[in-house]
Amino acid sequence: MATAEIKIGQVDDVQELHRTCLETVPDRYIRSRDDRPDSDNVCALAHIPVIDVGELPRGDELNKLRVACEEWGFFQVVNHGIEDELLDEMEKLTREFFMLPLEEKEKYPMAPGGIQGYGHAFVFSEDQKLDWSNMLALGVEPAFIRQPRLWPTTPAKFKETLKKYSVEIRGLCQRLLAHIAETLGLAPGTFGDMFGEAVQAVRMNFYPPCPRPELVLGLSAHSDGSAVTVLQQDMSCAGLQVLTNGRYKSVEHRAVTNSEQDRLSVVTFYAPAYDVELGPLPEFVSDETPCQYRRFNHGEYSRHYVTSRLEGKKTLEFAKINQTTTAPEETCGCI
């Protein structure tokens, strides 16, 4: 979809809206009643599985990882080997970026319909409901997906720190995928060999306080198009809601806001190379469990994902063999 064809209408910067001390929010941010954050169908943060990466693959930890992937598609990791100082520095510099004057942040604009730069991603029409958040999204690896003009030069150490951070997160993703392969009875290197020159991107989200948080969403409900997503969030004000739960699937989730405190997150997406062909592995297809998804090129799926608005797990229908039947909602392509 060419950006020239996309008209997204007026998209206000929500930090600037917050600074005007609004008592309500513009209509374009107000969700329908069944799409508001007071839904009962969410999972409490306290119940999300915790995986000790340092214990993998020893003892019961590998089984805990298998259960987390099967029943949740989402888990917290501890003892992951990334230094706290680096995590804190990345969070600090990200916050400093979002605190810059608007005219400085707008030097790195996200084009209408684009997915890199500062602004609102996944907006494709003038009447689409908007999320109460600002974001900075950047391609990291391979080098050809980077757009250097969109990498902020302020704060001064932002680029340098993001590069170090991304190397460490990439290593964590690779370790997790090796252990996830083991939980499936596969060789640890299965996914690493399959992925080729893996694609990595980062998105930083900032959610300012909202005068009517019960009417808006910080980020629309969706499931990610990546193989592994690593979320670092400001735990002083958690706002992620994990929606619903089936073998190893991408979980639907969304972000909410509050009226008192801002919230920050740094999200890394790790996926196969664009030229990799994906589809269910032969080990998981039988007469009892017939193939649910077609084979397709990952670049083809990625283009479909980034040119569709966030809408639950709708993008998975791209890969289903029969879109009129209800199939288990598994992570696309991996299993």
Side-chain angles (χ1 to χ4, degrees):
M1 185 181 297
T3 56
E5 300 173 355
I6 299 173
K7 296 181 179 180
I8 63 174
Q10 181 175 343
V11 179
D12 296 309
D13 185 286
V14 290
Q15 287 175 262
E16 298 304 306
L17 289 176
H18 169 64
R19 290 190 179 102
T20 65
C21 300
L22 292 174
E23 293 184 3
T24 185
V25 296
D27 181 70
R28 201 168 173 194
Y29 294 89
I30 299 176
R31 300 289 176 139
S32 61
R33 291 190 178 278
D34 61 354
D35 196 27
R36 292 178 185 175
D38 56 356
S39 169
D40 294 329
N41 188 27
V42 297
C43 305
L45 180 65
H47 298 143
I48 288 176
V50 178
I51 303 299
D52 187 333
V53 180
E55 290 296 316
L56 291 170
R58 298 188 297 273
D60 187 48
E61 213 64 25
L62 198 64
N63 187 57
K64 285 171 60 179
L65 177 61
R66 178 188 61 78
V67 172
C69 290
E70 284 184 342
E71 299 183 0
W72 286 80
F74 194 93
F75 50 87
Q76 181 182 358
V77 294
V78 297
N79 197 16
H80 42 66
I82 302 177
E83 294 182 356
D84 289 343
E85 292 80 4
L86 179 58
L87 298 175
D88 292 343
E89 182 70 3
M90 189 70 251
E91 184 176 315
K92 170 179 169 289
L93 292 171
T94 300
R95 181 172 291 277
E96 286 180 10
F97 172 80
F98 282 110
M99 292 300 106
L100 292 172
L102 179 59
E103 56 269 23
E104 179 66 27
K105 292 181 288 189
E106 287 183 334
K107 291 179 180 179
Y108 315 99
M110 182 180 294
I115 56 167
Q116 292 200 47
Y118 176 77
H120 281 65
F122 303 103
V123 181
F124 299 101
S125 70
E126 296 178 284
D127 59 355
Q128 183 177 331
K129 291 297 183 181
L130 299 176
D131 295 329
W132 190 264
S133 62
N134 290 330
M135 65 174 61
L136 174 66
L138 301 168
V140 178
E141 294 289 348
F144 72 82
I145 73 167
R146 289 185 213 144
Q147 297 187 30
R149 63 183 178 82
L150 297 178
W151 284 55
T153 55
T154 306
K157 290 188 176 181
F158 183 89
K159 285 185 181 180
E160 172 190 344
T161 302
L162 178 57
K163 288 178 181 178
K164 291 180 181 177
Y165 177 86
S166 296
V167 168
E168 293 297 318
I169 297 295
R170 191 176 184 88
L172 175 60
C173 290
Q174 292 166 343
R175 294 197 301 276
L176 288 174
L177 281 168
H179 294 311
I180 288 171
E182 291 179 293
T183 68
L184 290 164
L186 303 171
T190 299
F191 295 131
D193 295 341
M194 179 194 302
F195 278 29
E197 192 175 13
V199 175
Q200 183 175 347
V202 63
R203 188 179 72 215
M204 289 144 271
N205 305 303
F206 186 82
Y207 310 90
C210 178
R212 298 293 305 275
E214 74 280 6
L215 300 179
V216 308
L217 285 177
L219 190 61
S220 300
H222 65 286
S223 62
D224 295 330
S226 52
V228 176
T229 300
V230 177
L231 166 71
Q232 178 185 347
Q233 67 174 344
D234 179 359
M235 291 308 295
S236 66
C237 183
L240 184 73
Q241 290 186 335
V242 180
L243 303 163
T244 70
N245 275 340
R247 195 157 166 177
Y248 296 23
K249 60 187 180 181
S250 57
V251 70
E252 189 174 339
H253 54 284
R254 66 186 185 185
V256 297
T257 65
N258 69 74
S259 60
E260 303 296 329
Q261 190 173 353
D262 62 44
R263 176 175 166 261
L264 179 77
S265 66
V266 181
V267 189
T268 297
F269 305 96
Y270 186 82
Y274 290 131
D275 60 355
V276 170
E277 184 182 71
L278 300 178
L281 292 173
E283 293 91 328
F284 304 111
V285 177
S286 67
D287 291 339
E288 292 74 27
T289 55
C291 187
Q292 303 278 2
Y293 300 95
R294 65 184 178 89
R295 299 194 68 81
F296 56 91
N297 176 273
H298 179 243
E300 180 187 0
Y301 173 72
S302 182
R303 283 190 295 274
H304 172 76
Y305 187 92
V306 301
T307 56
S308 304
R309 68 188 183 96
L310 298 180
E311 191 174 3
K313 299 176 77 73
K314 188 175 181 179
T315 53
L316 268 185
E317 295 190 6
F318 169 89
K320 289 181 180 177
I321 289 175
N322 186 346
Q323 297 184 8
T324 63
T325 61
T326 301
E329 294 172 322
E330 299 174 333
T331 300
C332 216
C334 286
I335 57 176

